[in-house]
Structure formats: structure tokens, C-alpha cells
């Protein structure tokens, strides 16, 4: 019984491996917790436990931290650890992606697996994480922040200088007095206090001219934003009184500052200054602003003095006839800023109707009065922690000169893209020299190249170009030299092997190019691209391992086992160098390629394979249906594909006629000996080996010549 | 509107019957004095008209704050089999779609919830922050079985540009009420955590308290 005990650790526990299982053992020899398929120390006195492919964190008392087991758990740091799973990218995309969560050794899952990336920061004091491309920092107090500070409330401030200027420009130019007299039962002294701000509350009709008041209360309104109804011919035509009364109207959402209440001979005059709504809320009680307006008359007097003088002078005049017009008086009756019950109206702007006659009137008054409220005076502070270019990913980048404001984009990127990369410290667009491509540009070029190749691969252009280039550069322009070329020598070749990864010789670019051109019409939709997509795969026709055993360089196990004579050994070694040459390679649907090493298909003996393939293709009763599945055809394609004619076509296209008898059906060519099986005599082995080579040697040479002839024709037809 | 029911209560001291004002619903916009009575516990006190002794009556109520847009279904005791499933809200109870509904158990937690929501704070984020303080930053609070409560916030100043947030707990060993202060930034970090974490969605009338948070934190 295998048992290994490791040293006791700081917890006083030893990890023990026994019977392919691991457990913790205390100093009294007691097992702590359960047994697992693996246990490893995993930081701060905790352990990683594995159960099959799933992992968890184990406490020193043997208890498990997480309820569920995951594909991975990362080392414990400061009581926290990351855990992750591998999941499908989406329901329809079988490719995988990682997803990360954060947990605490107390068993709390601080964050479930919501992150697409996560790793500890260099100092070990926080975890860097991303959701999509958005970066976050997870702190060790279990919270998280956005390094762009987007989680913090934006501070708003008012640029009072700008605001005041806008206020003055709204209030003063075009300022004139308007009149509204009433005998409404309002107690002026208790209702209108100097300094108060009030909202009109209803459409306020006023006139440009009145003389001596005929009523006890006069509203004198200084406004630059009254709708001058009396100047609109259509309105005057429709209602002549509009002209007769010099009627003007103020919107119900107009705001007024009570500038003065003045009494003269029993008449009380309430002097109101029409101000924009924004000023009502932000400047309403700013006496400096109001004093400025009061004194900005352009004369050596103030608005209040002018208002008082107005009443003084009017008191000496006759009553204007319109002050006695019953209809006019009724229109002017209701006191400004009071509701129907004479309570102050709600100071907040009333929602304005969108449809109907009131909406039309409201819209017309706004238009005539040009009384839109002040805008763009509130600054929303940008929380983004822009600290300049120095020491950031932008340092030295040619686009850094275009960085605006607090990182509102650069010469290449808009604000969001710029900020994400600025904070991450990684930018694929970073470019230090105009002549040197950025990573993004390199990738762009690469993808364009791949796209171009994809098109070329679908129409043989790619294969042709590759073969031509190979013949010219590696075969001195003589395609006949391809006959003995060992494709396994391309394993590390980045041009004709694969530019990204080391490939097995058969999957090389050159091999796929040769097969594309040599066997172009063998299968439906067979192209270079179809091999890239693993629909079809190159395969060795005559495999040596089955009869000569495993080999390494010139060593073949079966030759040792059966003490093969020197002559046979030399023959085998010589043929071994031809196994991966063009004459011994064919192309098969991927499924069939995978099945060839199974016993029913002869473990590599091509005659057995073809016999089974034939039975399947002609629909023989005892055919191997797994071969049919391996073709991976759609149901409706199967019937059309399974014909003797197609079998013959494939065999002839692949140049495998030597495996057929005179009637065109597969024949037994080899003894079908498996060298590792017991009970084989030396003579039997040597006989079978010689017969194998007797067939294969001329077969490979002859077939290579045929393929090269075909390739020559293809190349000459495609100069 | 607030709803009052007159209940006959037998005084546990003199055993004589007296009338108790049982508020089944409290609208603090229409009856602001009732809010004060909750915070002074007076709303739940029976004053015996015969012997003058005061007895606590653990009667639940519906708390309605129109200004801050929330309703709390309050009860003194959490049922033993309470499963934190959202409570059904009768149609027409909520005046606006954005109304927040909560169930709360325990008078102290009730008062805390009122203060949190009156401050315009996210109660899930506050519970998240409290949980992390008492389990990760100062685990001795949870280990000793003390409960942390939200206290107040302070306005921003030069040192703390987003203000400060205070919590308190009763340290029974020291026989003191301990106060903990954090920069308000920390609250916003927990608020973000709740926005990103799908377990922190507290939709409908659910009870968001320390036990709910503990339950959610074990979910994976």
C-alpha cells in the first residue's frame, strides 16, 4: 500500500498520500477532514483540495470553505482568494472563457463569478478585475471601486460669474414697465414682501400703459420678456381689444422678484422684476445681483426710484379709459402669484401642457416672449483621475498631444475608450513612431491577411502560391524533387509549416497545399479551407507502426523482438523515410481519419480500411455504420454519397487502385499482422514484413510520380 | 393616511381595562408627530388610565413616508420560519412606481431603516457595508454577537470631500456604545458592489437586514 507522509507544517499538519488519495494528518496520527484526489498548501495556512477536476479551499480544521467546487481556486492572500470556472462563451458559441469570483476564507463569497478577468495587484493590497472591458479594483474591505471614479456622485457647481452675466443679459435688455391694476381682496403688506420671489401661477395679462389707478392695487412689472400680443396683427384682428388695451401676457411659469411695495394716496403699488426661473432658485436672495439690476438703468436713478416716480406722476394724470373697461378690469383682477384661494402658488414650475388650446397658447407666449430659462450654467465636475501623461501608457505616444481636458479623449480615441486604456495602463493603439505600426495596426494587418488567405484558400489560389514558392525556393525549381521530400522536416518551419505553432508534418501548409491541388475533385467541398476547418485531414496510407512496432529514428521495436535480419532492417529504415513523403499521403474526412487506428479498420492497414469503406459505400448488410457517422454528412447528403460510383471515384482520385482487384473491389494486400500480438513466429513476421515492403515500396514511388505529374499540369495551367 | 384603531387592553399591573391607540398605519407626511412617537417608543406604549403604569405593546404597523417615497411593513418579531421571500404588495398601495417597499422586524432595525431611507441612502449598500465591517474589517463585532447600526452621515468637508458615514454598536463588555466612522467614499464603493452583484437585487417588499445579507453572501 503506497503511503507518503510529508513534513508537518505550521498548522501541525502533514499532508499524506495514500492509495491515490490525499488527506491531512495531525500529530496524534488522526486524519483531519476528508480525503481528496490532491491537497496542496495554498497560502496563509490554508490548503487547496482537489476533487477530480474541481477545486476548493481547505481550512486547517479540515472544513471546506466554499459550498461549490470550482475549476480553479487561487492562493489565499490576506484572507481572500479568487476562484474561477471555465464556461462557454455563449449558448451558441462553444468556445470557452474564464469567469472569476472573490471569496473570503470565512466562507463569504464577496463577489460571485461576475468578472471576466481578475488578478491580485502587484502590492497584494487589492484585486484588479474587469467586467467586459470595464476595469474595477476590489478592495480588502469587501467593496469595489471604479478607478475612473464613476461610482462617486458627480459634484455640481455654478459658475456664478457666467451665471450672473447670463442673468443680466436675460433681465435687462429691452426692459420696460407693464401695468396691472386690481381691486382684488388681497392684503398687500402681508402677501408681497420685498425680496420675495414668486411664480405667476397663471397667464398674466398686462398692459403697456395705464395712468392714474382706478383700483387700490397696482402691479408694476419690469420685464424684458412679456409676449407683446398687441403687436401681432392676426391677434389684434381676431380680438380688437388686444390692440385697444395694448395687451401683453406673461407665462404662468414666469418668476418675479418683489422689488418694492409703495403706497401713494391709498394706492399700493407692488413693483415686480421679471427674472428667469433659474435665477429665482439660484440668485433669488442674492441682493448684490438684484441691486445690480436695480441700478443698471443707464441713468442716475434706480429701477425702484423709477417705479415710485411712475406712480407719483400717474397719480397726477387722469384715469385711462381702459382702466374703466369692465372686460379689461376683469382680466386684470386676479393678484399675481396667488392661487384661486389666494394662497401663494407652488414656487416650483408647473408642468406645461403638451396638447390642446392651452398648450398652443403656452407655446405661443414662450415664442413671443423669448423667455426660455437660462442654460449651461451648472458645471458637473468630472471625477476622472486624470494626472497627465507622464508615467502613464500615453507617455511617448504620438496621439498624446491630442489629449483634451481631463482625459476626454486623445488623438486616436474617444473619451470612453481612452479612459479605459489610460487606467489599465495598456493601449493597443499606442504608437511611438508614425512609421512603426501600433499593436492594433499589426493585428489589423494580420486579420486582413487572414481574410485574404481565407478567400484564396477557398479557391486554390493560396495552395498554388505556396506550392510555387516552395518549388522555387526549396526545390530549386524542380518539382520532381518533391517525391522524396519528408514532410516531417517542416515541423518547425514558420513559412511552409505553420507561422504560429509547431505542427505535425502532415498538418503543414505545404502538405495541405499539395493535397488541395492533387486531390481537388475527390470529395464534396474539399478545399484548403475545409482542411483548415478540420473537415478533411491528411493521412498516411501505409503505416509502419502496426507491423514494425513503435519506432524512434531508425529503431523499430518489432525488428528487435523478432531479431530481423540486417537486410530487412535496412529495407524498413529506408522505407521509414518514405512514410511521410507525398506518395504515401492521402486525404480523408476527419472522422474516418480518426477511425483508422481502430481494430475493425485494420489499425492502419489500408486494404482493411478500403474493404470496410467499400462495404459502407455500397450499403452492404454487414457494413460498419460508425464509418457512416464518421463522414459527418447531413442526412439528406448520405444517400447521394453512398454509392459504388463514389467509392470508385474516391479511390481513383486518391490513386489507390493498387488496393483493388481486377473487378474494382478492394482486395487483401497484407497479412494484417499486429506485431505486438503474442504467438507470432519469427518466420511469419519476416514473411509478412517483406510482403508489406514488396507492396509499399513500388506503390509509394509510383504514386508519387503520378501526383507530381498531376501537380506539374496544375502549375503549368496556372502560370 | 394614518389609521388608528382603539383597542381595549388589560393592564398587566392592575388588570383593569384601558383604551390603547393602535396605529395600524402611519403616514408621517400627514402626521409628522407619529414619527417622533416611533423614535421615542411612545407609539408602542400603553399608559394605564387606572394605575398610571406604562406597558410596551409590540404591535406592528405600516409606515408610509411620501416625501422620501417608501413604505415599511414593520413588525416586532420575525417569524421562526421566515424565508425572506418578497411579500405580496396589495395593488394600489404604492402611489408611485419608484416607491420602495421593505419589511422590517425589530424596533431598533425599524428606526434604523427609517433613518437610512430618509437620508436617501441605499439600504442594501448599507447592509453590505455593515456586513463587511463586522465580518471582514472588524470581525470581532460579529464574533461577539454585536449588531452594527447605521447612525448618520456628515456633510463633505476638506478632509472628506464626499462626507462621512457613522455606524454604532453596543459593546456589552465595555458597556459602551462604540461609534465607527468611514469616509462616504466607502459607502459608494459598497453601493457599486451591490449594483454589480446580482445577489444584491432587493426587488419587491423584502426584508433587507443582517441575516438577509449573511444569506446572500453565502450564495455563489
Amino acid at each position: 500500500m503506497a503511503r507518503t507522509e510529508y513534513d508537518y507544517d505550521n498548522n501541525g499538519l502533514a499532508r499524506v498520500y495514500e492509495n491515490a488519495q490525499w488527506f491531512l494528518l495531525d500529530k496524534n496520527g488522526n486524519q483531519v477532514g476528508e480525503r481528496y484526489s490532491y491537497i496542496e498548501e495554498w497560502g496563509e495556512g490554508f490548503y487547496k483540495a482537489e476533487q477530480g477536476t474541481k477545486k476548493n479551499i481547505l481550512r486547517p480544521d479540515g472544513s471546506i470553505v466554499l459550498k461549490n467546487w470550482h475549476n480553479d481556486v487561487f492562493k489565499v492572500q490576506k484572507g481572500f482568494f479568487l476562484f474561477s470556472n471555465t464556461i462557454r462563451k455563449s449558448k451558441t458559441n462553444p468556445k470557452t472563457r474564464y469567469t472569476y469570483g472573490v471569496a473570503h476564507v470565512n466562507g463569504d463569497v464577496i463577489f460571485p463569478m461576475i468578472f471576466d478577468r481578475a488578478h491580485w495587484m502587484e502590492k497584494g493590497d487589492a484585486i484588479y478585475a474587469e467586467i467586459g472591458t470595464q476595469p474595477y479594483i476590489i478592495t480588502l474591505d469587501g467593496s469595489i471601486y471604479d478607478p475612473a471614479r464613476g461610482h462617486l456622485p458627480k459634484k455640481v457647481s455654478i459658475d456664478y460669474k457666467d451665471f450672473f452675466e447670463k442673468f443680466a443679459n436675460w433681465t435687462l435688455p429691452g426692459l420696460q414697465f407693464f401695468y396691472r391694476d386690481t381691486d382684488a381682496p388681497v392684503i398687500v403688506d402681508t402677501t408681497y414682501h420685498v425680496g420675495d420671489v414668486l411664480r405667476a401661477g397663471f397667464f398674466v395679462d398686462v398692459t403697456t400703459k395705464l395712468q392714474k389707478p382706478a383700483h387700490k392695487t397696482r402691479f408694476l412689472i419690469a420685464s424684458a420678456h412679456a409676449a407683446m400680443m398687441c403687436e401681432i396683427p392676426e391677434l389684434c384682428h381676431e380680438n380688437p381689444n388686444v390692440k385697444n388695451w395694448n395687451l401683453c401676457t406673461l407665462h404662468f411659469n414666469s418668476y418675479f422678484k418683489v422689488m418694492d411695495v409703495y403706497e401713494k394716496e391709498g394706492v399700493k403699488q407692488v413693483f415686480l422684476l421679471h427674472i428667469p426661473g433659474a435665477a429665482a432658485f439660484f440668485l433669488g436672495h442674492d441682493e448684490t445681483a438684484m441691486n445690480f439690476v436695480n441700478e443698471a438703468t443707464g441713468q442716475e436713478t434706480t429701477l425702484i426710484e423709477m417705479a415710485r416716480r411712475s406712480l407719483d406722476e400717474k397719480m397726477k394724470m387722469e384715469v385711462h379709459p381702459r382702466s374703466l373697461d369692465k372686460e379689461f378690469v376683469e382680466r386684470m383682477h386676479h393678484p399675481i402669484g396667488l392661487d384661486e384661494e389666494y394662497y401663494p402658488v407652488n414656487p416650483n414650475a408647473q408642468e406645461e401642457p403638451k396638447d390642446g388650446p392651452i398648450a398652443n397658447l403656452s407655446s405661443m407666449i414662450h415664442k413671443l416672449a423669448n423667455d426660455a430659462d437660462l442654460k449651461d450654467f451648472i458645471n458637473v465636475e468630472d471625477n476622472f483621475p486624470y494626472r497627465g501623461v507622464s508615467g502613464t501608457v500615453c507617455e511617448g505616444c504620438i496621439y498624446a498631444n491630442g489629449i483634451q481636458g481631463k482625459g476626454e479623449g486623445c488623438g486616436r480615441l474617444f473619451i470612453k475608450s481612452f479612459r479605459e486604456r489610460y487606467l489599465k495602463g495598456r493601449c493597443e493603439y499606442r504608437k511611438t513612431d508614425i512609421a512603426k505600426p501600433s499593436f492594433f495596426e499589426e493585428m489589423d494587418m494580420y486579420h486582413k491577411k487572414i481574410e485574404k488567405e481565407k478567400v484564396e484558400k477557398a479557391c486554390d489560389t493560396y495552395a498554388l502560391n505556396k506550392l510555387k514558392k516552395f518549388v522555387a525556393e526549396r526545390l530549386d525549381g524542380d518539382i520532381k524533387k518533391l517525391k522524396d521530400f519528408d514532410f516531417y522536416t517542416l515541423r518547425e518551419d514558420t513559412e511552409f509549416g505553420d507561422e504560429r505553432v509547431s505542427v505535425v508534418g502532415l498538418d503543414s501548409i505545404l502538405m495541405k497545399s499539395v493535397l488541395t491541388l492533387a486531390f481537388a475533385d475527390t470529395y464534396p467541398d474539399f478545399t484548403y479551407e475545409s482542411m483548415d476547418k478540420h473537415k478533411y485531414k491528411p493521412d498516411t496510407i501505409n503505416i509502419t507502426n502496426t507491423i514494425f512496432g513503435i519506432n524512434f529514428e531508425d529503431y523499430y521495436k518489432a525488428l528487435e523482438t523478432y531479431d530481423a535480419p540486417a537486410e530487412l532492417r535496412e529495407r524498413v529504415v529506408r522505407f521509414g523515410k518514405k512514410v511521410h513523403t507525398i506518395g504515401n499521403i492521402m486525404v480523408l474526412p476527419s472522422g474516418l481519419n480518426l477511425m483508422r487506428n481502430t481494430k475493425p479498420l485494420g489499425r492502419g492497414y489500408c486494404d482493411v480500411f478500403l474493404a470496410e469503406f467499400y462495404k459502407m459505400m455500397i450499403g452492404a448488410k454487414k457494413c460498419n455504420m460508425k464509418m457512416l457517422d464518421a463522414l459527418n454528412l447531413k442526412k439528406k447528403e448520405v444517400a447521394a454519397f453512398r454509392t459504388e460510383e463514389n467509392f470508385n471515384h474516391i479511390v481513383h482520385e486518391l490513386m489507390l487502385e493498387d488496393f483493388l482487384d481486377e473487378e474494382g473491389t478492394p482486395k487483401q494486400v497484407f497479412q494484417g499482422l499486429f506485431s505486438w500480438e503474442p504467438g507470432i513466429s519469427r518466420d511469419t513476421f519476416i514473411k509478412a514484413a517483406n510482403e508489406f515492403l514488396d507492396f509499399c515500396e513500388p506503390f509509394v514511388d509510383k504514386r508519387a510520380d503520378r501526383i507530381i505529374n498531376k501537380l506539374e499540369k496544375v502549375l503549368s495551367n496556372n502560370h | 393616511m394614518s389609521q388608528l384603531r382603539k383597542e381595549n387592553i388589560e393592564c398587566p399591573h392592575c388588570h383593569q381595562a384601558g383604551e390603547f391607540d393602535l396605529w395600524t398605519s402611519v403616514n408621517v407626511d400627514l402626521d409628522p408627530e407619529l414619527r417622533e412617537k416611533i423614535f421615542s417608543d411612545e407609539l408602542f406604549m400603553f399608559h394605564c388610565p387606572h394605575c398610571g403604569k406604562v406597558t410596551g405593546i409590540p404591535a406592528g404597523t405600516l409606515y408610509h413616508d411620501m416625501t422620501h417615497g417608501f413604505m415599511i411593513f414593520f413588525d416586532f418579531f420575525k417569524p421562526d420560519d421566515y424565508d425572506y421571500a418578497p411579500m405580496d404588495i396589495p395593488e394600489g398601495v404604492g402611489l408611485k412606481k419608484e416607491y420602495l417597499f421593505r419589511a422590517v422586524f425589530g424596533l431598533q432595525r425599524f428606526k434604523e431603516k427609517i433613518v437610512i431611507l430618509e437620508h436617501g441612502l441605499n439600504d442594501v449598500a448599507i447592509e453590505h457595508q455593515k456586513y463587511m465591517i463586522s465580518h471582514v474589517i472588524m470581525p470581532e463585532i460579529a464574533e461577539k454577537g454585536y449588531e452594527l447600526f447605521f447612525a448618520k452621515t456628515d456633510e463633505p468637508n476638506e478632509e472628506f470631500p464626499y462626507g462621512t458615514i457613522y455606524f454604532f454598536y453596543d459593546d456589552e463588555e465595555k458597556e459602551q456604545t462604540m461609534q465607527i466612522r468611514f469616509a462616504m467614499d466607502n459607502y459608494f464603493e459598497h453601493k457599486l458592489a451591490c449594483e454589480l452583484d446580482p445577489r444584491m437585487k432587493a426587488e419587491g417588499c423584502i426584508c433587507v437586514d443582517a441575516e438577509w445579507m449573511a444569506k446572500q453572501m453565502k450564495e455563489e
Side-chain angles (χ1 to χ4, degrees), chain A residues 610 647-648 651-652 656-662 664-667:
Chain A
L610 282 178
F647 171 80
N648 290 331
V651 170
H652 288 292
L656 300 174
E657 297 93 334
D658 287 359
F659 287 95
L660 304 182
D661 60 19
E662 288 157 2
T665 55
K667 64 179 180 187

Side-chain angles (χ1 to χ4, degrees), chain A residues 16 46 75 107 140 171 184 274 302 330 332 386 432 523 527 618 621 630 663:
Chain A
V16 179
F46 293 86
K75 282 198 170 176
L140 297 188
T171 312
H274 187 189
T302 66
E330 275 176 17
M332 302 285 157
Y386 181 70
T432 51
Y523 300 105
T527 59
I618 63 166
K621 273 187 181 173
E663 286 156 12

Side-chain angles (χ1 to χ4, degrees), chain A residues 501-531:
Chain A
V501 290
S502 170
V503 295
V504 177
L506 293 191
D507 281 326
S508 64
I509 290 171
L510 181 66
M511 173 52 78
K512 287 192 278 189
S513 298
V514 167
L515 295 178
T516 304
L517 301 172
F519 306 125
D521 303 320
T522 308
Y523 300 105
D525 306 324
F526 171 62
T527 59
Y528 189 107
E529 197 194 6
S530 67
M531 280 187 282

Side-chain angles (χ1 to χ4, degrees), chain B:
Chain B
M1 58 181 276
S2 305
Q3 286 184 338
L4 172 66
R5 209 169 69 211
K6 298 283 184 186
E7 287 281 318
N8 276 324
I9 301 279
E10 185 190 309
C11 173
H13 302 284
C14 67
H15 300 288
Q16 295 205 59
E19 212 170 53
F20 172 65
D21 287 347
L22 179 70
W23 291 92
T24 53
S25 168
V26 169
N27 184 318
V28 292
D29 288 273
L30 303 177
D31 303 297
E33 71 283 0
L34 295 180
R35 180 193 180 281
E36 300 314 312
K37 283 190 172 183
I38 288 169
F39 279 83
S40 67
D41 299 346
E42 192 56 37
L43 200 81
F44 311 105
M45 294 298 176
F46 168 63
H47 295 262
C48 178
H50 306 287
C51 67
K53 295 222 166 123
V54 180
T55 307
I57 306 293
T61 190
L62 169 62
Y63 185 93
H64 185 183
D65 184 329
M66 297 194 295
T67 305
H68 299 101
F70 67 88
M71 278 189 181
I72 296 173
F73 292 80
F74 163 66
D75 219 327
F76 274 80
F77 307 107
K78 191 186 289 183
D80 290 341
D81 57 351
Y82 190 67
D83 62 358
Y84 285 91
M87 185 195 275
D88 288 333
I89 306 290
E91 273 185 37
V93 170
L95 301 176
K96 295 177 196 163
K97 273 188 180 172
E98 59 270 29
Y99 251 62
L100 184 81
F101 296 95
R102 288 287 182 258
V104 176
F105 301 98
L107 187 54
Q108 178 88 324
R109 288 179 174 185
F110 180 38
K111 293 175 187 174
E112 182 200 32
K113 189 69 79 179
I114 292 169
V115 177
I116 290 170
L117 298 178
E118 283 177 347
H119 276 72
L121 298 171
N122 180 320
D123 63 330
V124 181
I126 293 286
E127 286 301 338
H128 194 271
Q129 189 174 11
K130 281 163 52 181
Y131 187 88
M132 292 302 171
I133 294 169
S134 56
H135 288 78
V136 174
I137 303 173
M138 301 168 73
E140 62 276 13
I141 295 178
E143 282 160 15
K144 290 178 180 172
Y146 301 154
E147 184 168 359
L148 196 62
F149 288 97
F150 167 76
K152 61 171 184 171
T153 57
D154 265 358
E155 289 298 307
N157 55 41
E158 270 189 26
E159 190 184 358
F160 299 104
Y162 292 94
T164 40
I165 184 165
Y166 291 79
F167 299 91
F168 70 92
Y169 66 96
D170 289 326
D171 189 324
E172 288 163 20
E173 281 176 13
K174 293 179 184 166
E175 295 185 343
Q176 273 184 326
T177 297
M178 309 299 287
Q179 195 174 58
I180 308 169
R181 182 182 70 161
F182 282 88
M184 200 64 186
D185 309 40
N186 188 252
Y187 160 76
F188 291 116
E189 290 169 11
H190 286 281
K191 187 163 174 272
L192 176 64
C194 295
E195 285 162 13
L196 296 174
D197 188 341
R199 302 170 304 172
M200 297 298 144
K201 300 278 172 282
E203 284 161 4
C205 183
I206 72 164
C207 173
V208 176
D209 61 9
E211 291 79 34
W212 178 82
M213 185 54 67
K215 179 174 159 283
Q216 300 306 100
M217 293 303 290
K218 301 292 178 207
E219 296 292 325
E220 289 175 37

Side-chain angles (χ1 to χ4, degrees), chain A residues 93-140:
Chain A
N93 187 348
K95 287 184 182 170
T96 54
R97 65 181 177 90
Y98 299 106
T99 176
Y100 297 85
V102 181
H104 191 269
V105 289
N106 68 9
D108 287 333
V109 177
I110 307 299
F111 287 100
M113 289 185 287
I114 56 172
F115 301 107
D116 299 305
R117 279 175 74 138
H119 60 77
W120 281 89
M121 305 276 278
E122 210 171 311
K123 288 182 186 168
D125 54 355
I127 294 165
Y128 174 85
E130 286 179 15
I131 299 177
T133 57
Q134 174 80 37
Y136 293 100
I137 308 293
I138 300 166
T139 68
L140 297 188

Side-chain angles (χ1 to χ4, degrees), chain A residues 112-281:
Chain A
M113 289 185 287
I114 56 172
F115 301 107
D116 299 305
R117 279 175 74 138
H119 60 77
W120 281 89
M121 305 276 278
E122 210 171 311
K123 288 182 186 168
D125 54 355
I127 294 165
Y128 174 85
E130 286 179 15
I131 299 177
T133 57
Q134 174 80 37
Y136 293 100
I137 308 293
I138 300 166
T139 68
L140 297 188
D141 64 13
S143 66
I144 188 168
Y145 68 87
D146 170 7
R149 297 162 67 85
H151 64 292
L152 293 170
K154 287 188 173 164
K155 289 189 173 174
V156 293
S157 60
I158 293 174
D159 180 346
Y160 275 99
K161 188 169 169 254
D162 176 52
F163 183 49
F164 180 74
E165 200 175 310
K166 284 178 172 157
F167 162 69
N169 284 336
W170 194 95
T171 312
L172 290 171
L175 191 75
Q176 72 175 89
F177 284 158
F178 297 89
Y179 302 85
R180 182 181 172 99
D181 289 356
T182 177
D183 269 337
V186 59
I187 305 165
V188 170
D189 294 339
T190 55
T191 308
Y192 299 100
H193 304 105
V194 173
D196 280 359
V197 173
L198 50 96
R199 186 171 67 87
F202 55 91
F203 292 122
V204 177
D205 286 334
V206 290
T207 178
T208 56
K209 189 178 178 187
L210 284 181
Q211 295 174 11
K212 183 177 181 177
H215 306 88
K216 61 179 184 178
T217 305
R218 162 163 291 180
F219 290 100
L220 180 67
I221 301 151
S223 173
H225 293 276
M228 308 293 276
M229 306 295 209
C230 55
E231 291 178 0
I232 308 299
E234 291 85 352
L235 293 174
C236 298
H237 180 73
E238 203 176 298
N239 180 1
N241 279 338
V242 171
K243 184 70 189 168
N244 296 338
W245 296 336
N246 267 6
L247 192 73
C248 304
T249 306
L250 296 150
H251 196 273
F252 60 75
N253 275 334
S254 296
Y255 286 86
F256 305 101
K257 171 90 173 172
V258 181
M259 299 293 285
D260 186 41
V261 177
Y262 177 58
E263 186 171 355
K264 177 89 177 177
E265 297 169 21
V267 175
K268 288 197 171 167
Q269 176 174 276
V270 180
F271 176 40
L272 302 174
L273 175 67
H274 187 189
I275 59 174
F281 290 96

